[in-house]
Structures are given as structure tokens and as C-alpha cells.
Amino acid sequence: MLEGFWYIATDSGNVHVGQPCAAVLCNQPLVLFRDRHGQVHALDDRCPHKGVPLSSGWQEGDSLRCPFHGWRFISSGECVEVPSIGNAPHPSPVSACVRTFPAEERDGWVWVYIGNSQCPKPTSPPPSLPVPADGSPMVSVRESAEAKVRWDFAVDSLMDPAHVPFVHNNYFRQREAAREKEKVFTRLPLGFRTISQNVLLPDTFIFRALSPRLGLATTTVDFVLPGIHSERWEIGKRFASVMLVATPLTDDRSRFDICVGWNFLHGLPVGWLVRRTLRTILSQDREVLESQEQGFGLKGSMLLNLESDNLAVWYRQLKKYHGDMLAGVHDPQHPIPEKTRLKWVT
Ligand code: FES
Ligand SMILES: [Fe+2]
């Protein structure tokens, strides 16, 4: 798990005023609550008194009350009330304080920053869905799915081109229509990018929705740490984008969150259809990844030796690079070449 990044904790719609909400990220239990001004706060979901999860308590105004002995905490994490205190000294603010985490809402999700002593505060806002350069309004839908799979495998699947014709046959391309592709990758500060200009869209219902006559598109695909794949398609004035995020929940559980936006067909009620498609795609990934998790456990090794596996190798190298930077290693080298050509058949 990587510290120093924003992660999606939950859908914004799950955090209501007056109803603390439990979440977990990077093995860290969180309680989220929305104050009366609509601001979401994230705290360690553990009462410092005897450890009861604060998410099992209740919200009073802009504070959380522990259900066991009634200690009350405000959004800064400070304990402001101990009902049984009598004449005893108030527990010191340090020992009675709950750890807090920066939280922000974006694209319909609550993002929580997981830092450490080297990177306690975020230096940039959470990532966001790519939007069209002309500022045209977009509609968007979201979907998510949890999988019993380690985070590395979930992240690998975000940028594994070779699985697409098999796991998602007929969604993004037909297996029998696979052909050789050459992609040029360039380096991003903590990731990589490939841009394809004037590519003929594959003939599937997804791309027919994007462009009924399957025009030529310019596509930009980015991967950045900690596990964020974003993609944008431009066909004339039509623009669509997707952000697919893999989040580590615990050592053996991950969640995928996906948001898709488009700047056309605003009047048509197609959101439910897009969501249903996203649900199917996520369940296809979940099924194959959970079986990978079972099979991997038998031997514990992989062969990442194809050009299409290069992206998974880069991901592992980027994690090490980030870790080296946090650890203050002298002059760590970015692992991605300035420009690389990779070929595969998909
Ligand atoms: S465990 Fe929370 S007040 Fe005692
Ligand atoms: Fe997939």
C-alpha cells in the first residue's frame, strides 16, 4: 500500500448528515461524517478510550459520540466531552485525540488522503475525471465493485491490454478482430501516457454509442500512482472520458470505482444502461481476478515477460521510485523511459 496519496473512501451519496459511515482504506478503518455545512470529515474509526468504532456511535451536531461511554469528538479529532469524568482531570488532548485524515469530495466520491510523517498533508487536490477542453458540460455515471483480490492484481488489471479481448470480449473489441498495435508511451511524473491519433474505433456497441459511424478518434490513456487509469476519447466535438480507480481496502480486498462522462446525448436517459454495462465489466474483472488470486497462491510467481506486461513492470518500478523519494534516497531515477514503443496484439 502506498502512503502519500488520495484514495476513494466511498460514494458521496453514502455520507449523510447525522449518519456516521464506516469505510476502510489501506487497512485503516475510517469513520466519515458530514457536518451541518455539508463538509465531509474522516477520522480513525476507533475511540481512544477503549477502542469501540466511532462509526457505531452517533453524530451530535458537528461531533461524534462514542456509544460505549459517551466520549464526544469534534472534526479536528479532539475529545471535547467525557460524561463520566467527575472531578478527574480531563484526558489530555493528545491521548484523547482521534487521528484525522484530509477528506474532499470530487466526481461524486469522497477522497481521503492517507499520508505518513514524510508526507502528512496532500500537495495537490484529488484526481478528477478528464473534461473537454471546450468546457462543454458533461453527464457522468459511476459504479463500483469490491473484489477479494490483492491491490497489485487489481492495479495490474487497469492497464493490462491483453486481457481485454478475453475478459471483456465484444465490449471494447471482438476477440477475432484483434490486430497488432504499436503504442508510444511517455513519462508522467508518477505514471505514463499513450496518445493515439486518428484511430478507427472498434465496432462494438460501446464505441457505436460514442460515434454511430465509428469515426476516427484521438485517445489519451494515462496511468498514475497509486492506481488510477484515465482515458479520454475525442471524435470531432464529441468527448467522453473514463476514470477507473483501484483502491486497497485490506491486504486481500480491493475496490474498483469507475466514472464515465460524455458531452453529448444529454437529453437521452441512457445513464442506467451505461451503469449496467459498467457493472458487467467490473464483474468480469472481479471474477477473473478472484480466480487469479486463488491460482497465484499455489505457486506465487508470475511471468511478466511480454511487451503487454511491461506496464505491470513499470507500475512496480514506479512504486519503488515513490518509496525511494519518500525515504529521501539520493537522486532516485524515474523508471519510465522518456519515450518507449510497445507492441501487442489485441
Ligand atoms: S470506548 Fe469510547 S467512550 Fe469508552
Ligand atoms: Fe478489465
Side-chain angles (χ1 to χ4, degrees), residues 47 49-52 66 68-71:
C47 178
H49 181 213
K50 289 192 174 179
V52 166
C66 177
F68 201 177
H69 311 94
W71 290 23

Side-chain angles (χ1 to χ4, degrees), residues 157 163 167-168 281 285:
S157 80
H163 86 290
V167 175
H168 309 298
I281 291 168
D285 280 321

Side-chain angles (χ1 to χ4, degrees), residues 157-297:
S157 80
L158 304 183
M159 49 180 173
D160 173 8
H163 86 290
V164 176
F166 286 88
V167 175
H168 309 298
N169 187 28
N170 295 329
Y171 281 77
F172 301 101
R173 63 203 68 162
Q174 273 94 17
R175 197 177 303 155
E176 53 280 7
R179 60 189 173 81
E180 186 172 85
K181 290 178 189 139
E182 184 178 84
K183 305 263 183 189
V184 176
F185 284 85
T186 53
R187 173 195 290 181
L188 295 174
L190 281 174
F192 45 85
R193 163 174 291 172
T194 180
I195 299 178
S196 309
Q197 275 169 331
N198 296 323
V199 288
L200 188 60
L201 290 169
D203 189 1
T204 70
F205 71 98
I206 288 181
F207 292 110
R208 286 270 179 198
L210 192 55
S211 172
R213 286 197 220 123
L214 297 176
L216 296 176
T218 296
T219 64
T220 307
V221 182
D222 290 354
F223 171 81
V224 290
L225 290 184
I228 299 174
H229 169 118
S230 63
E231 215 163 307
R232 65 181 80 196
W233 297 278
E234 288 154 277
I235 307 131
K237 285 193 175 314
R238 288 193 169 208
F239 176 95
S241 60
V242 60
M243 183 158 64
L244 176 56
V245 183
T247 301
L249 304 181
T250 57
D251 289 337
D252 60 358
R253 285 196 82 81
S254 305
R255 196 187 55 244
F256 292 101
D257 290 285
I258 187 166
C259 183
V260 176
W262 58 94
N263 72 345
F264 51 93
L265 298 179
H266 281 186
L268 287 185
V270 292
W272 67 273
L273 189 57
V274 179
R275 280 194 72 182
R276 197 174 75 176
T277 305
L278 297 178
R279 251 198 313 276
T280 306
I281 291 168
L282 291 179
S283 70
Q284 290 167 338
D285 280 321
R286 176 176 51 208
E287 202 174 309
V288 75
L289 290 174
E290 289 183 347
S291 78
Q292 180 194 6
E293 188 64 70
Q294 284 179 3
F296 181 83

